C-alpha cells in the first residue's frame, strides 16, 4: 500500500508541477512531495500497529504483541527520515546511518516474522 500511495504522490507531483518537462531543479512543490512521502510511509504501519495492540487487548495472545513490534519497527525509518529530513539523504551523516540501521532491523524482523508465523517455515 505504501508503494502505491507513493507512486500516486509522484504522479500528481510531476503532472501538477510540470517538472517532468525539463531538467532544472524541481519547483517549490518538492517540499510538499517529501512531506507527503514521509506521511505515506508512516501512516499504514501506524494503523496496523494499533490494530495489533487492539487485538492483543481483547485476546491477550502474545503473538499480537510481536506482530505489533513488527509494525513498530517499520514506523522508525519514516520517523527518522522526518526528523533528519535534510541529512537522512546524504551518505555518511548521522540521520543516514540511523536510517540504514533501523531499516535493516525492521527488514530482518519482518522477514523472520513472515517466514516463521505467516508461512510456517
Amino acid at each position: 500500500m505504501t508503494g502505491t500511495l507513493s507512486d500516486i504522490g509522484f504522479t500528481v507531483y510531476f503532472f501538477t508541477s510540470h517538472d517532468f518537462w525539463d531538467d532544472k531543479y524541481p519547483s517549490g512543490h518538492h517540499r510538499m512531495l517529501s512531506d507527503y512521502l514521509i506521511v505515506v510511509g508512516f501512516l499504514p504501519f501506524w494503523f496496523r500497529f494499533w490494530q495489533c495492540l487492539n487485538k492483543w487487548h481483547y485476546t491477550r495472545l502474545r503473538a499480537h504483541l510481536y506482530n505489533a513490534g513488527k509494525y513498530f519497527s517499520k514506523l522508525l525509518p519514516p520517523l527518522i527520515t522526518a526528523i533528519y529530513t535534510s541529512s537522512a539523504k546524504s551518505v555518511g551523516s548521522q540521520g543516514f546511518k540511523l536510517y540504514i540501521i533501523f531499516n535493516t532491523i525492521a527488514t530482518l524482523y519482518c522477514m523472520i516474522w513472515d517466514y516463521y508465523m505467516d508461512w510456517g517455515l
Side-chain angles (χ1 to χ4, degrees):
M1 183 158 137
T2 302
T4 303
L5 292 174
S6 297
D7 290 344
I8 290 170
F10 276 114
T11 303
V12 168
Y13 167 73
F14 283 117
F15 281 111
T16 58
S17 67
H18 302 289
D19 282 344
F20 60 91
W21 289 113
D22 54 16
D23 294 336
K24 293 187 299 184
Y25 188 76
S27 66
H29 300 98
H30 67 281
R31 177 67 185 161
M32 288 181 359
L33 176 65
S34 63
D35 291 345
Y36 170 80
L37 293 175
I38 290 170
V39 169
V40 165
F42 186 83
L43 281 182
F45 299 115
W46 177 256
F47 290 129
R48 284 295 294 147
F49 171 72
W50 285 105
Q51 284 176 343
C52 291
L53 287 182
N54 187 35
K55 280 186 174 183
W56 173 78
H57 177 72
Y58 288 110
T59 64
R60 296 294 180 195
L61 291 173
R62 282 192 170 212
H64 294 302
L65 279 180
Y66 297 136
N67 199 13
K70 176 179 83 167
Y71 289 108
F72 182 77
S73 72
K74 292 300 283 183
L75 287 173
L76 294 177
L79 184 63
I80 291 169
T81 302
I83 294 170
Y84 295 101
T85 300
S86 60
S87 65
K89 297 173 184 166
S90 59
V91 177
S93 68
Q94 179 78 10
F96 184 76
K97 290 175 187 174
L98 286 173
Y99 177 80
I100 294 297
I101 290 169
F102 282 107
N103 212 5
T104 302
I105 291 169
T107 300
L108 291 174
Y109 192 152
C110 292
M111 182 185 71
I112 291 168
W113 177 268
D114 287 343
Y115 286 160
Y116 182 70
M117 295 299 286
D118 293 341
W119 299 337
L121 299 177

PDB file of all heavy atoms in Angstrom, residues 76-107:
ATOM      1  N   LEU A  76       9.818   3.248  12.477  1.00  0.00           N
ATOM      2  CA  LEU A  76      11.023   4.012  12.815  1.00  0.00           C
ATOM      3  C   LEU A  76      11.744   4.626  11.611  1.00  0.00           C
ATOM      4  O   LEU A  76      12.142   5.789  11.687  1.00  0.00           O
ATOM      5  CB  LEU A  76      11.974   3.145  13.639  1.00  0.00           C
ATOM      6  CG  LEU A  76      11.431   2.768  15.017  1.00  0.00           C
ATOM      7  CD1 LEU A  76      12.404   1.847  15.734  1.00  0.00           C
ATOM      8  CD2 LEU A  76      11.146   3.992  15.849  1.00  0.00           C
ATOM      9  N   PRO A  77      11.941   3.919  10.488  1.00  0.00           N
ATOM     10  CA  PRO A  77      12.626   4.567   9.364  1.00  0.00           C
ATOM     11  C   PRO A  77      11.938   5.832   8.841  1.00  0.00           C
ATOM     12  O   PRO A  77      12.610   6.851   8.647  1.00  0.00           O
ATOM     13  CB  PRO A  77      12.707   3.465   8.305  1.00  0.00           C
ATOM     14  CG  PRO A  77      12.730   2.203   9.093  1.00  0.00           C
ATOM     15  CD  PRO A  77      11.820   2.472  10.257  1.00  0.00           C
ATOM     16  N   PRO A  78      10.599   5.847   8.632  1.00  0.00           N
ATOM     17  CA  PRO A  78       9.984   7.113   8.214  1.00  0.00           C
ATOM     18  C   PRO A  78      10.080   8.207   9.281  1.00  0.00           C
ATOM     19  O   PRO A  78      10.222   9.382   8.960  1.00  0.00           O
ATOM     20  CB  PRO A  78       8.524   6.762   7.943  1.00  0.00           C
ATOM     21  CG  PRO A  78       8.479   5.308   7.798  1.00  0.00           C
ATOM     22  CD  PRO A  78       9.619   4.752   8.566  1.00  0.00           C
ATOM     23  N   LEU A  79      10.038   7.800  10.552  1.00  0.00           N
ATOM     24  CA  LEU A  79      10.167   8.773  11.629  1.00  0.00           C
ATOM     25  C   LEU A  79      11.565   9.391  11.627  1.00  0.00           C
ATOM     26  O   LEU A  79      11.714  10.606  11.771  1.00  0.00           O
ATOM     27  CB  LEU A  79       9.875   8.114  12.974  1.00  0.00           C
ATOM     28  CG  LEU A  79       9.868   9.018  14.186  1.00  0.00           C
ATOM     29  CD1 LEU A  79       8.763  10.046  14.060  1.00  0.00           C
ATOM     30  CD2 LEU A  79       9.697   8.199  15.447  1.00  0.00           C
ATOM     31  N   ILE A  80      12.567   8.574  11.435  1.00  0.00           N
ATOM     32  CA  ILE A  80      13.946   9.082  11.352  1.00  0.00           C
ATOM     33  C   ILE A  80      14.095   9.990  10.139  1.00  0.00           C
ATOM     34  O   ILE A  80      14.748  11.031  10.212  1.00  0.00           O
ATOM     35  CB  ILE A  80      14.947   7.909  11.306  1.00  0.00           C
ATOM     36  CG1 ILE A  80      14.962   7.208  12.667  1.00  0.00           C
ATOM     37  CG2 ILE A  80      16.337   8.383  10.930  1.00  0.00           C
ATOM     38  CD1 ILE A  80      15.695   5.902  12.673  1.00  0.00           C
ATOM     39  N   THR A  81      13.474   9.613   9.036  1.00  0.00           N
ATOM     40  CA  THR A  81      13.522  10.460   7.849  1.00  0.00           C
ATOM     41  C   THR A  81      12.866  11.811   8.119  1.00  0.00           C
ATOM     42  O   THR A  81      13.348  12.849   7.669  1.00  0.00           O
ATOM     43  CB  THR A  81      12.823   9.757   6.670  1.00  0.00           C
ATOM     44  OG1 THR A  81      13.459   8.507   6.445  1.00  0.00           O
ATOM     45  CG2 THR A  81      12.919  10.590   5.404  1.00  0.00           C
ATOM     46  N   ALA A  82      11.766  11.801   8.870  1.00  0.00           N
ATOM     47  CA  ALA A  82      11.090  13.058   9.192  1.00  0.00           C
ATOM     48  C   ALA A  82      11.950  13.933  10.094  1.00  0.00           C
ATOM     49  O   ALA A  82      11.997  15.153   9.929  1.00  0.00           O
ATOM     50  CB  ALA A  82       9.749  12.779   9.855  1.00  0.00           C
ATOM     51  N   ILE A  83      12.650  13.324  11.024  1.00  0.00           N
ATOM     52  CA  ILE A  83      13.486  14.097  11.952  1.00  0.00           C
ATOM     53  C   ILE A  83      14.739  14.617  11.259  1.00  0.00           C
ATOM     54  O   ILE A  83      15.118  15.771  11.416  1.00  0.00           O
ATOM     55  CB  ILE A  83      13.853  13.243  13.179  1.00  0.00           C
ATOM     56  CG1 ILE A  83      12.593  12.939  13.988  1.00  0.00           C
ATOM     57  CG2 ILE A  83      14.889  13.946  14.043  1.00  0.00           C
ATOM     58  CD1 ILE A  83      12.791  11.915  15.080  1.00  0.00           C
ATOM     59  N   TYR A  84      15.369  13.761  10.490  1.00  0.00           N
ATOM     60  CA  TYR A  84      16.611  14.127   9.807  1.00  0.00           C
ATOM     61  C   TYR A  84      16.351  14.319   8.316  1.00  0.00           C
ATOM     62  O   TYR A  84      17.064  13.764   7.482  1.00  0.00           O
ATOM     63  CB  TYR A  84      17.660  13.040   9.984  1.00  0.00           C
ATOM     64  CG  TYR A  84      18.118  12.829  11.395  1.00  0.00           C
ATOM     65  CD1 TYR A  84      17.628  11.783  12.157  1.00  0.00           C
ATOM     66  CD2 TYR A  84      19.050  13.683  11.963  1.00  0.00           C
ATOM     67  CE1 TYR A  84      18.064  11.576  13.455  1.00  0.00           C
ATOM     68  CE2 TYR A  84      19.484  13.481  13.255  1.00  0.00           C
ATOM     69  CZ  TYR A  84      18.987  12.427  13.993  1.00  0.00           C
ATOM     70  OH  TYR A  84      19.418  12.233  15.269  1.00  0.00           O
ATOM     71  N   THR A  85      15.366  15.092   7.951  1.00  0.00           N
ATOM     72  CA  THR A  85      14.966  15.203   6.550  1.00  0.00           C
ATOM     73  C   THR A  85      16.119  15.583   5.642  1.00  0.00           C
ATOM     74  O   THR A  85      16.343  14.966   4.612  1.00  0.00           O
ATOM     75  CB  THR A  85      13.828  16.223   6.382  1.00  0.00           C
ATOM     76  OG1 THR A  85      12.722  15.792   7.155  1.00  0.00           O
ATOM     77  CG2 THR A  85      13.407  16.342   4.940  1.00  0.00           C
ATOM     78  N   SER A  86      16.877  16.575   6.006  1.00  0.00           N
ATOM     79  CA  SER A  86      17.949  17.015   5.109  1.00  0.00           C
ATOM     80  C   SER A  86      19.154  16.088   5.177  1.00  0.00           C
ATOM     81  O   SER A  86      19.789  15.820   4.167  1.00  0.00           O
ATOM     82  CB  SER A  86      18.369  18.439   5.448  1.00  0.00           C
ATOM     83  OG  SER A  86      18.829  18.507   6.781  1.00  0.00           O
ATOM     84  N   SER A  87      19.486  15.571   6.346  1.00  0.00           N
ATOM     85  CA  SER A  87      20.710  14.778   6.451  1.00  0.00           C
ATOM     86  C   SER A  87      20.487  13.294   6.208  1.00  0.00           C
ATOM     87  O   SER A  87      21.439  12.565   5.999  1.00  0.00           O
ATOM     88  CB  SER A  87      21.343  14.968   7.831  1.00  0.00           C
ATOM     89  OG  SER A  87      20.493  14.443   8.837  1.00  0.00           O
ATOM     90  N   ALA A  88      19.234  12.823   6.228  1.00  0.00           N
ATOM     91  CA  ALA A  88      18.984  11.398   6.029  1.00  0.00           C
ATOM     92  C   ALA A  88      19.282  10.968   4.602  1.00  0.00           C
ATOM     93  O   ALA A  88      19.407   9.794   4.332  1.00  0.00           O
ATOM     94  CB  ALA A  88      17.534  11.057   6.375  1.00  0.00           C
ATOM     95  N   LYS A  89      19.411  11.924   3.700  1.00  0.00           N
ATOM     96  CA  LYS A  89      19.652  11.586   2.307  1.00  0.00           C
ATOM     97  C   LYS A  89      21.123  11.680   1.917  1.00  0.00           C
ATOM     98  O   LYS A  89      21.495  11.267   0.840  1.00  0.00           O
ATOM     99  CB  LYS A  89      18.805  12.481   1.408  1.00  0.00           C
ATOM    100  CG  LYS A  89      17.333  12.265   1.631  1.00  0.00           C
ATOM    101  CD  LYS A  89      16.507  13.249   0.867  1.00  0.00           C
ATOM    102  CE  LYS A  89      15.038  13.050   1.221  1.00  0.00           C
ATOM    103  NZ  LYS A  89      14.217  14.135   0.781  1.00  0.00           N
ATOM    104  N   SER A  90      21.958  12.245   2.788  1.00  0.00           N
ATOM    105  CA  SER A  90      23.369  12.363   2.455  1.00  0.00           C
ATOM    106  C   SER A  90      24.143  11.243   3.139  1.00  0.00           C
ATOM    107  O   SER A  90      24.074  11.057   4.356  1.00  0.00           O
ATOM    108  CB  SER A  90      23.917  13.724   2.874  1.00  0.00           C
ATOM    109  OG  SER A  90      23.755  13.912   4.254  1.00  0.00           O
ATOM    110  N   VAL A  91      24.860  10.478   2.331  1.00  0.00           N
ATOM    111  CA  VAL A  91      25.601   9.326   2.829  1.00  0.00           C
ATOM    112  C   VAL A  91      26.657   9.787   3.825  1.00  0.00           C
ATOM    113  O   VAL A  91      27.364  10.765   3.610  1.00  0.00           O
ATOM    114  CB  VAL A  91      26.263   8.569   1.650  1.00  0.00           C
ATOM    115  CG1 VAL A  91      27.087   7.415   2.149  1.00  0.00           C
ATOM    116  CG2 VAL A  91      25.211   8.098   0.671  1.00  0.00           C
ATOM    117  N   GLY A  92      26.753   9.070   4.939  1.00  0.00           N
ATOM    118  CA  GLY A  92      27.745   9.368   5.951  1.00  0.00           C
ATOM    119  C   GLY A  92      27.233  10.246   7.077  1.00  0.00           C
ATOM    120  O   GLY A  92      27.906  10.416   8.080  1.00  0.00           O
ATOM    121  N   SER A  93      26.051  10.785   6.957  1.00  0.00           N
ATOM    122  CA  SER A  93      25.513  11.642   8.009  1.00  0.00           C
ATOM    123  C   SER A  93      24.888  10.784   9.107  1.00  0.00           C
ATOM    124  O   SER A  93      24.616   9.600   8.925  1.00  0.00           O
ATOM    125  CB  SER A  93      24.478  12.606   7.438  1.00  0.00           C
ATOM    126  OG  SER A  93      23.339  11.883   7.038  1.00  0.00           O
ATOM    127  N   GLN A  94      24.647  11.399  10.242  1.00  0.00           N
ATOM    128  CA  GLN A  94      24.046  10.705  11.385  1.00  0.00           C
ATOM    129  C   GLN A  94      22.656  10.166  11.034  1.00  0.00           C
ATOM    130  O   GLN A  94      22.336   9.026  11.358  1.00  0.00           O
ATOM    131  CB  GLN A  94      23.948  11.675  12.568  1.00  0.00           C
ATOM    132  CG  GLN A  94      23.330  11.088  13.803  1.00  0.00           C
ATOM    133  CD  GLN A  94      24.287  10.205  14.563  1.00  0.00           C
ATOM    134  OE1 GLN A  94      25.469  10.167  14.285  1.00  0.00           O
ATOM    135  NE2 GLN A  94      23.766   9.484  15.525  1.00  0.00           N
ATOM    136  N   GLY A  95      21.838  10.989  10.397  1.00  0.00           N
ATOM    137  CA  GLY A  95      20.491  10.555  10.035  1.00  0.00           C
ATOM    138  C   GLY A  95      20.496   9.383   9.068  1.00  0.00           C
ATOM    139  O   GLY A  95      19.689   8.465   9.194  1.00  0.00           O
ATOM    140  N   PHE A  96      21.415   9.412   8.108  1.00  0.00           N
ATOM    141  CA  PHE A  96      21.502   8.323   7.136  1.00  0.00           C
ATOM    142  C   PHE A  96      21.908   7.022   7.816  1.00  0.00           C
ATOM    143  O   PHE A  96      21.353   5.961   7.534  1.00  0.00           O
ATOM    144  CB  PHE A  96      22.494   8.679   6.033  1.00  0.00           C
ATOM    145  CG  PHE A  96      22.575   7.658   4.941  1.00  0.00           C
ATOM    146  CD1 PHE A  96      21.574   7.564   3.992  1.00  0.00           C
ATOM    147  CD2 PHE A  96      23.647   6.783   4.872  1.00  0.00           C
ATOM    148  CE1 PHE A  96      21.639   6.615   2.977  1.00  0.00           C
ATOM    149  CE2 PHE A  96      23.716   5.830   3.877  1.00  0.00           C
ATOM    150  CZ  PHE A  96      22.715   5.747   2.923  1.00  0.00           C
ATOM    151  N   LYS A  97      22.871   7.104   8.735  1.00  0.00           N
ATOM    152  CA  LYS A  97      23.314   5.898   9.453  1.00  0.00           C
ATOM    153  C   LYS A  97      22.180   5.317  10.285  1.00  0.00           C
ATOM    154  O   LYS A  97      21.969   4.098  10.297  1.00  0.00           O
ATOM    155  CB  LYS A  97      24.504   6.233  10.341  1.00  0.00           C
ATOM    156  CG  LYS A  97      25.766   6.527   9.572  1.00  0.00           C
ATOM    157  CD  LYS A  97      26.870   6.975  10.488  1.00  0.00           C
ATOM    158  CE  LYS A  97      28.074   7.430   9.692  1.00  0.00           C
ATOM    159  NZ  LYS A  97      29.118   8.006  10.539  1.00  0.00           N
ATOM    160  N   LEU A  98      21.445   6.176  11.006  1.00  0.00           N
ATOM    161  CA  LEU A  98      20.305   5.695  11.793  1.00  0.00           C
ATOM    162  C   LEU A  98      19.235   5.079  10.900  1.00  0.00           C
ATOM    163  O   LEU A  98      18.649   4.043  11.239  1.00  0.00           O
ATOM    164  CB  LEU A  98      19.707   6.839  12.606  1.00  0.00           C
ATOM    165  CG  LEU A  98      20.485   7.299  13.821  1.00  0.00           C
ATOM    166  CD1 LEU A  98      19.857   8.550  14.405  1.00  0.00           C
ATOM    167  CD2 LEU A  98      20.551   6.195  14.859  1.00  0.00           C
ATOM    168  N   TYR A  99      18.992   5.710   9.770  1.00  0.00           N
ATOM    169  CA  TYR A  99      18.001   5.198   8.830  1.00  0.00           C
ATOM    170  C   TYR A  99      18.384   3.798   8.351  1.00  0.00           C
ATOM    171  O   TYR A  99      17.551   2.885   8.347  1.00  0.00           O
ATOM    172  CB  TYR A  99      17.856   6.147   7.643  1.00  0.00           C
ATOM    173  CG  TYR A  99      16.908   5.649   6.599  1.00  0.00           C
ATOM    174  CD1 TYR A  99      15.536   5.792   6.750  1.00  0.00           C
ATOM    175  CD2 TYR A  99      17.380   5.017   5.451  1.00  0.00           C
ATOM    176  CE1 TYR A  99      14.657   5.323   5.799  1.00  0.00           C
ATOM    177  CE2 TYR A  99      16.510   4.541   4.490  1.00  0.00           C
ATOM    178  CZ  TYR A  99      15.157   4.701   4.668  1.00  0.00           C
ATOM    179  OH  TYR A  99      14.296   4.221   3.714  1.00  0.00           O
ATOM    180  N   ILE A 100      19.624   3.618   7.978  1.00  0.00           N
ATOM    181  CA  ILE A 100      20.091   2.312   7.491  1.00  0.00           C
ATOM    182  C   ILE A 100      20.006   1.267   8.596  1.00  0.00           C
ATOM    183  O   ILE A 100      19.538   0.138   8.372  1.00  0.00           O
ATOM    184  CB  ILE A 100      21.528   2.411   6.933  1.00  0.00           C
ATOM    185  CG1 ILE A 100      21.556   3.273   5.675  1.00  0.00           C
ATOM    186  CG2 ILE A 100      22.124   1.037   6.660  1.00  0.00           C
ATOM    187  CD1 ILE A 100      20.757   2.725   4.517  1.00  0.00           C
ATOM    188  N   ILE A 101      20.426   1.605   9.802  1.00  0.00           N
ATOM    189  CA  ILE A 101      20.403   0.654  10.918  1.00  0.00           C
ATOM    190  C   ILE A 101      18.973   0.214  11.226  1.00  0.00           C
ATOM    191  O   ILE A 101      18.671  -0.983  11.293  1.00  0.00           O
ATOM    192  CB  ILE A 101      21.077   1.263  12.165  1.00  0.00           C
ATOM    193  CG1 ILE A 101      22.580   1.379  11.947  1.00  0.00           C
ATOM    194  CG2 ILE A 101      20.764   0.449  13.416  1.00  0.00           C
ATOM    195  CD1 ILE A 101      23.295   2.206  12.994  1.00  0.00           C
ATOM    196  N   PHE A 102      18.062   1.185  11.395  1.00  0.00           N
ATOM    197  CA  PHE A 102      16.694   0.822  11.764  1.00  0.00           C
ATOM    198  C   PHE A 102      15.934   0.186  10.613  1.00  0.00           C
ATOM    199  O   PHE A 102      15.059  -0.657  10.842  1.00  0.00           O
ATOM    200  CB  PHE A 102      15.953   2.034  12.322  1.00  0.00           C
ATOM    201  CG  PHE A 102      16.340   2.336  13.733  1.00  0.00           C
ATOM    202  CD1 PHE A 102      17.123   3.431  14.026  1.00  0.00           C
ATOM    203  CD2 PHE A 102      15.942   1.513  14.767  1.00  0.00           C
ATOM    204  CE1 PHE A 102      17.502   3.707  15.326  1.00  0.00           C
ATOM    205  CE2 PHE A 102      16.306   1.773  16.072  1.00  0.00           C
ATOM    206  CZ  PHE A 102      17.087   2.873  16.362  1.00  0.00           C
ATOM    207  N   ASN A 103      16.253   0.546   9.399  1.00  0.00           N
ATOM    208  CA  ASN A 103      15.606  -0.100   8.261  1.00  0.00           C
ATOM    209  C   ASN A 103      16.081  -1.549   8.134  1.00  0.00           C
ATOM    210  O   ASN A 103      15.293  -2.432   7.783  1.00  0.00           O
ATOM    211  CB  ASN A 103      15.880   0.684   6.979  1.00  0.00           C
ATOM    212  CG  ASN A 103      14.730   0.589   6.007  1.00  0.00           C
ATOM    213  OD1 ASN A 103      13.691   0.023   6.314  1.00  0.00           O
ATOM    214  ND2 ASN A 103      14.911   1.142   4.837  1.00  0.00           N
ATOM    215  N   THR A 104      17.345  -1.808   8.417  1.00  0.00           N
ATOM    216  CA  THR A 104      17.858  -3.174   8.396  1.00  0.00           C
ATOM    217  C   THR A 104      17.207  -4.017   9.484  1.00  0.00           C
ATOM    218  O   THR A 104      16.788  -5.156   9.237  1.00  0.00           O
ATOM    219  CB  THR A 104      19.388  -3.170   8.565  1.00  0.00           C
ATOM    220  OG1 THR A 104      19.973  -2.387   7.523  1.00  0.00           O
ATOM    221  CG2 THR A 104      19.951  -4.573   8.529  1.00  0.00           C
ATOM    222  N   ILE A 105      17.094  -3.460  10.687  1.00  0.00           N
ATOM    223  CA  ILE A 105      16.438  -4.171  11.787  1.00  0.00           C
ATOM    224  C   ILE A 105      14.986  -4.476  11.424  1.00  0.00           C
ATOM    225  O   ILE A 105      14.503  -5.600  11.617  1.00  0.00           O
ATOM    226  CB  ILE A 105      16.532  -3.359  13.093  1.00  0.00           C
ATOM    227  CG1 ILE A 105      17.976  -3.312  13.580  1.00  0.00           C
ATOM    228  CG2 ILE A 105      15.603  -3.926  14.162  1.00  0.00           C
ATOM    229  CD1 ILE A 105      18.213  -2.329  14.708  1.00  0.00           C
ATOM    230  N   ALA A 106      14.277  -3.483  10.889  1.00  0.00           N
ATOM    231  CA  ALA A 106      12.876  -3.677  10.522  1.00  0.00           C
ATOM    232  C   ALA A 106      12.733  -4.738   9.431  1.00  0.00           C
ATOM    233  O   ALA A 106      11.828  -5.581   9.490  1.00  0.00           O
ATOM    234  CB  ALA A 106      12.268  -2.363  10.058  1.00  0.00           C
ATOM    235  N   THR A 107      13.620  -4.719   8.458  1.00  0.00           N
ATOM    236  CA  THR A 107      13.552  -5.697   7.372  1.00  0.00           C
ATOM    237  C   THR A 107      13.794  -7.108   7.887  1.00  0.00           C
ATOM    238  O   THR A 107      13.067  -8.044   7.524  1.00  0.00           O
ATOM    239  CB  THR A 107      14.571  -5.344   6.276  1.00  0.00           C
ATOM    240  OG1 THR A 107      14.269  -4.041   5.778  1.00  0.00           O
ATOM    241  CG2 THR A 107      14.538  -6.342   5.145  1.00  0.00           C
TER     242      THR A 107
END
